[in-house]
Amino acid sequence: EKKPSAHSALKLNLEQMAASSKLMNEKMAVIDDIQGEVEADLKRFGNWLDETMREIELEGEHKPRWREAVRAIFRFAKEECLKAAGPEPSGDGVSGVQPLAEWISKLASQAEPDETVNAMILLMRHGSAGNSLIVVHATVDATATSQRAKRGAVWNDRSTLASSMEAFEVLRERKKLLRSPHGQAHVSSLLPLLQRDGRCFGVLSSGAPALPDEFLVMLARAGGLSMELVWKVDRARALIRVITAWIQTLADKEKMSIRVEWKHGANLPASKVGKAGQHSWYNLAYEDKEG
């Protein structure tokens, strides 16, 4: 059998490298498109969030501590979205919003210092079937009164417990169960956590004793929108990381000496990664080990 000449072998290798490079550029463009869509959507969401915050502040104009709590919730959510992501995004999206959920309950206690007990639980829809809720965060006071009120506990819609039945009633009907007009009432109040399009993705439970109804309405509105924003950013980061790992696997398979890595906040001009103007690279780093 006649062996190919060195010239033919080199030509074949160059053609394979060109084909692999083209494929890599196509895959990297996928990340670029996703990141661009995320950035645009977050900008629109951020503008809308600012308008909503002003509306909520007007509702609580007579209560400075309530108004400041709302501001702090939105501020925290934006900071969570802007800071660099950790080494791995959360697996299910729930743990991604836990810091915000904890912050909401802490602000509730600070805004209502006369309430000696803050039994608050924040739940999110769990699974695709829509028949279960998972506890994202529960205060110490809530956990002390119920074993089901602890982080990670799953509530099922088949439960006959009153707290669970009411939570699913709120989830499915977007109903507000407000029972404490002035606070300190030894009852529980439950409100839906709504996303921007009005769909309910979770439930906020307060009590017993329950915080004042008007304050809970403000918390649920601000908390729901902020949790949606943080959750979406966490999911977008997870998607980008999966695609980045996939492209790295493809590069390794093709024996291409490059490292594909997503770095939050890194910027490189398009001319560094390909033809100038071909892609608008931002918040991504494309590094060549060979320099």
Side-chain angles (χ1 to χ4, degrees):
E1 184 179 355
K2 185 179 179 181
K3 294 183 178 180
S5 65
H7 176 75
S8 299
L10 179 59
K11 182 179 179 182
L12 179 61
N13 286 336
L14 289 174
E15 290 175 350
Q16 290 175 342
M17 289 179 64
S20 298
S21 178
K22 180 180 179 182
L23 184 60
M24 287 287 293
N25 284 334
E26 291 174 354
K27 303 309 178 187
M28 292 296 287
V30 172
I31 298 182
D32 190 39
D33 291 341
I34 292 174
Q35 182 71 7
E37 291 176 6
V38 170
E39 293 286 347
D41 190 51
L42 289 182
K43 184 177 181 179
R44 289 192 296 269
F45 202 133
N47 293 336
W48 185 79
L49 211 59
D50 290 339
E51 293 178 6
T52 305
M53 181 182 70
R54 288 190 287 269
E55 291 177 7
I56 299 175
E57 286 182 348
L58 289 175
E59 294 173 2
E61 192 172 8
H62 59 293
K63 290 283 189 176
R65 286 198 300 263
W66 293 4
R67 190 169 63 248
E68 181 52 38
V70 169
R71 288 176 181 168
I73 290 173
F74 285 128
R75 189 163 54 242
F76 187 89
K78 290 183 177 180
E79 289 171 356
E80 283 290 293
C81 295
L82 292 174
K83 73 179 184 181
E88 291 294 335
S90 61
D92 56 7
V94 173
S95 56
V97 298
Q98 282 176 349
L100 174 59
E102 293 175 11
W103 185 239
I104 291 172
S105 67
K106 182 178 179 179
L107 290 170
S109 297
Q110 294 176 351
E112 280 295 306
D114 294 337
E115 297 279 358
T116 56
V117 177
N118 178 22
M120 180 174 288
I121 307 171
L122 288 105
L123 305 108
M124 281 180 61
R125 189 187 296 272
H126 183 62
S128 57
N131 58 356
S132 59
L133 288 163
I134 187 169
V135 177
V136 180
H137 175 69
T139 61
V140 174
D141 293 329
T143 304
T145 59
S146 173
Q147 286 295 317
R148 300 174 68 252
K150 59 183 180 181
R151 182 185 296 179
V154 176
W155 295 17
N156 196 284
D157 64 351
R158 293 191 299 272
S159 173
T160 57
L161 292 174
S163 57
S164 183
M165 293 174 66
E166 287 184 343
F168 280 97
E169 180 183 0
V170 170
L171 179 70
R172 289 169 178 162
E173 300 180 19
R174 298 190 302 173
K175 181 186 294 185
K176 298 176 184 177
L177 300 179
L178 297 170
R179 303 174 175 127
S180 181
H182 309 293
Q184 299 183 343
H186 289 281
V187 293
S188 295
S189 293
L190 293 91
L191 294 94
L193 294 172
L194 304 177
Q195 57 191 59
R196 182 170 41 165
D197 62 7
R199 286 184 292 178
C200 182
F201 69 88
V203 177
L204 184 152
S205 173
S206 174
L211 295 172
D213 291 347
E214 189 178 357
F215 182 41
L216 281 178
V217 170
M218 294 173 63
L219 279 181
R221 189 177 180 192
L225 297 174
S226 298
M227 289 172 69
E228 178 193 4
L229 176 62
V230 172
W231 184 89
K232 284 184 173 180
V233 170
D234 184 71
R235 295 297 79 210
R237 286 172 174 167
L239 177 60
I240 290 175
R241 288 184 184 276
V242 169
I243 297 175
T244 303
W246 177 58
I247 295 175
Q248 182 67 70
T249 300
L250 177 64
D252 294 341
K253 183 179 178 181
E254 296 292 331
K255 294 181 171 52
M256 300 179 70
S257 183
I258 63 172
R259 182 173 75 252
V260 183
E261 186 177 353
W262 175 49
K263 289 186 178 180
H264 185 89
N267 292 273
L268 287 176
S271 58
K272 291 291 185 180
V273 296
K275 293 181 180 179
Q278 183 179 0
H279 299 300
S280 54
W281 300 93
Y282 51 89
N283 291 337
L284 298 167
Y286 180 93
E287 297 182 10
D288 189 339
K289 290 181 181 178
E290 300 299 323

